[in-house]
Amino acid sequence: MRNAKIVIAGGSGFIGESLIKYFGNENKLIILSRNADNSQNNRNRFSLLSEPELKNVIYCHWDGKTLGDWYKQLEDTDILINLSGKSVNCRYTEKNKKDILNSRVDSTKILGEAIAKTKNPPKLWINASSATIYRHSTDKPQDEFTGEIENDFSVQVCKAWENTFYNQATPFTRKIALRMAITLGAGGIMIPYFNLLKFGLGGKQGNGKQMYSWVHIEDSCRMIEWFYEHHELEGTFNCASPYPVHNKEFMKTLRTISHTTFGLPAMKWMLQIGALLIGTETELVLKSRWVVPTRILETGFQFKYPLLSDALAEVFNNTPKNLYRIF
Ligand SMILES: NC(=O)c1ccc[n+]([C@@H]2O[C@H](COP(=O)([O-])OP(=O)(O)OC[C@H]3O[C@@H](n4cnc5c(N)ncnc54)[C@H](OP(=O)(O)O)[C@@H]3O)[C@@H](O)[C@H]2O)c1
């Protein structure tokens, strides 16, 4: 894809930076951020972007909830991607729960209002969602057609997020909700995993039988390009490799590709104490996410990294070792 105008709301995080790496060389990118000062020393310490990679990137201030002049950036946009949202990697206190929900719903709503104000609205709007919208599943895979949706906190967030997205009237903008599985790349979730390996804690988590749906970040980027090129596609898509694995297999593959011979398992009670200590929730590792990408496969899309071992090897080889730190 070349010479496209791509606006990424919440594009300063892990997935946004990966999209900049993938699209930034040959396209014009505008990042909507609550902190538009993207100087090197102000960037997230896990940032993998070098100054040359930012040559076609402009950062523009917004607050993720109110309309401002930033809406003009959406004029003549080829793809608008919304990734905004408070990280779910925190304790689910009432305050955090409210922030997790509102940051997703508010940013989606205000982007809909901004599109309505443009003369030449974006051609395509891709809004992040999550594969965690499907129920805890140990019996069968969940897809876009027959997947079952329950009602715990994170599912409620995803439902409200997608409902807000589809409720925005954007008659001239094609819309896709991308239910992303755990995304593997040089950053994001892989940093805590590499730290666990370093401390000999790279064994199975809980009973290890929970399913782990994942996708390599390059396939997420390739999928977005595919959506742009295939004008007939719209609606909800799972963004997950066709071959999810059990947690036990995920951890074993991680040990193999990193040449780690030993990994202590973490029992559920240990995870509960650990999660409390580092301020997160055990749901993030214990929920059985068994999600498959039926719709995208039906369109003829081929994954570059369908297999976990190839995906993890690529990520391990390309993650700067200085990113792992002692918590
Ligand atoms: N990474 C995954 O494995 C994964 C899996 C499933 C779904 N997702 C979803 O995909 C999206 C992007 O994921 P990511 O890993 O790139 O997340 P991330 O690194 O946490 O980045 C999200 C961005 O959202 C913005 N943000 C944070 N709090 C906000 C708030 N209160 N209001 C408005 N904006 C806020 C931040 O941008 P500024 O600070 O610059 O404003 C941040 O850079 C998220 O919505 C996430 O839930 C991710």
Side-chain angles (χ1 to χ4, degrees):
M1 200 167 100
R2 309 179 84 169
N3 302 322
K5 179 178 174 188
I6 304 173
V7 177
I8 310 178
S12 60
F14 163 60
I15 293 178
E17 289 211 336
S18 307
L19 290 172
I20 293 173
K21 266 190 182 288
Y22 187 81
F23 290 112
N25 213 19
E26 302 194 298
N27 302 281
K28 185 179 168 199
L29 269 67
I30 293 158
I31 308 301
L32 299 182
S33 169
R34 293 165 308 152
N35 177 8
D37 170 11
N38 194 53
S39 53
Q40 185 75 53
N41 60 4
N42 197 33
R43 217 173 292 147
N44 179 324
R45 74 175 198 83
F46 294 114
S47 175
L48 294 169
L49 294 173
S50 59
E51 290 306 323
E53 287 172 305
L54 290 163
K55 68 180 190 308
N56 294 326
V57 184
I58 293 169
Y59 284 79
C60 171
H61 181 79
W62 80 329
D63 68 359
K65 53 188 172 197
T66 44
L67 214 47
D69 262 4
W70 59 264
Y71 89 86
K72 294 178 186 155
Q73 302 288 352
L74 303 191
E75 291 288 357
D76 297 303
T77 293
D78 292 292
I79 316 179
L80 165 64
I81 303 166
N82 180 23
L83 301 170
S84 309
K86 177 183 164 52
S87 170
V88 294
N89 186 10
C90 58
R91 292 298 290 176
Y92 289 171
T93 60
E94 285 313 309
K95 158 100 177 63
N96 283 342
K97 281 176 25 179
K98 206 168 140 206
D99 290 347
I100 287 170
L101 176 70
N102 291 349
S103 56
R104 286 168 174 77
V105 168
D106 293 349
S107 59
T108 303
K109 189 160 175 286
I110 206 64
L111 284 170
E113 288 175 25
I115 290 173
K117 271 183 80 83
T118 55
K119 291 193 192 73
N120 294 305
K123 294 191 181 78
L124 170 63
W125 177 9
I126 296 177
N127 215 56
S129 177
S130 172
T132 205
I133 196 166
Y134 299 108
R135 70 169 166 86
H136 176 93
S137 175
T138 51
D139 54 339
K140 59 177 182 185
Q142 309 286 309
D143 74 5
E144 299 93 336
F145 300 105
T146 57
E148 295 154 81
I149 290 171
E150 269 175 3
N151 224 13
D152 60 23
F153 167 66
S154 44
V155 173
Q156 280 171 27
V157 171
C158 294
K159 276 164 67 177
W161 201 3
E162 288 190 5
N163 287 341
T164 307
F165 177 56
Y166 285 120
N167 283 341
Q168 304 308 306
T170 58
F172 304 105
T173 301
R174 188 158 58 95
K175 292 202 287 195
I176 288 178
L178 203 55
R179 291 180 176 167
M180 290 188 283
I182 294 168
T183 308
L184 309 181
I189 189 83
M190 292 315 298
I191 304 300
Y193 276 123
F194 289 143
N195 275 322
L196 282 177
L197 289 178
K198 220 164 71 174
F199 293 112
L201 297 171
K204 69 180 181 189
Q205 292 159 326
N207 67 16
K209 290 183 184 157
Q210 68 276 34
M211 289 298 282
Y212 192 103
S213 279
W214 59 276
V215 63
H216 188 286
I217 184 68
E218 194 178 331
D219 278 324
S220 311
C221 297
R222 292 175 62 248
M223 222 184 259
I224 287 173
E225 194 169 3
W226 182 264
F227 291 134
Y228 178 64
E229 287 164 353
H230 290 76
H231 299 192
E232 71 284 7
L233 302 180
E234 59 186 343
T236 302
F237 285 82
N238 292 341
C239 179
S241 146
Y243 302 113
V245 295
H246 287 109
N247 170 280
K248 187 176 171 186
E249 190 183 336
F250 179 84
M251 297 309 291
K252 183 165 177 250
T253 312
L254 198 54
R255 293 196 301 276
T256 307
I257 57 101
S258 61
H259 314 292
T260 308
T261 43
F262 173 76
L264 275 177
M267 301 295 129
K268 189 173 174 181
W269 64 267
M270 295 160 128
L271 291 168
Q272 278 161 344
I273 296 172
L276 201 61
L277 289 175
I278 63 169
T280 189
E281 289 287 333
T282 52
E283 180 203 336
L284 300 179
V285 287
L286 293 180
K287 178 169 176 180
S288 188
R289 297 178 172 89
W290 192 350
V291 179
V292 288
T294 305
R295 271 201 81 195
I296 194 83
L297 289 175
E298 283 180 357
T299 70
F301 180 83
Q302 292 189 346
F303 284 80
K304 180 170 175 188
Y305 296 100
L307 298 179
L308 183 67
S309 51
D310 295 337
L312 280 180
E314 193 282 336
V315 170
F316 182 70
N317 292 334
N318 289 300
T319 303
K321 306 293 174 261
N322 63 0
L323 286 188
Y324 328 154
R325 60 165 186 163
I326 299 172
F327 334 89

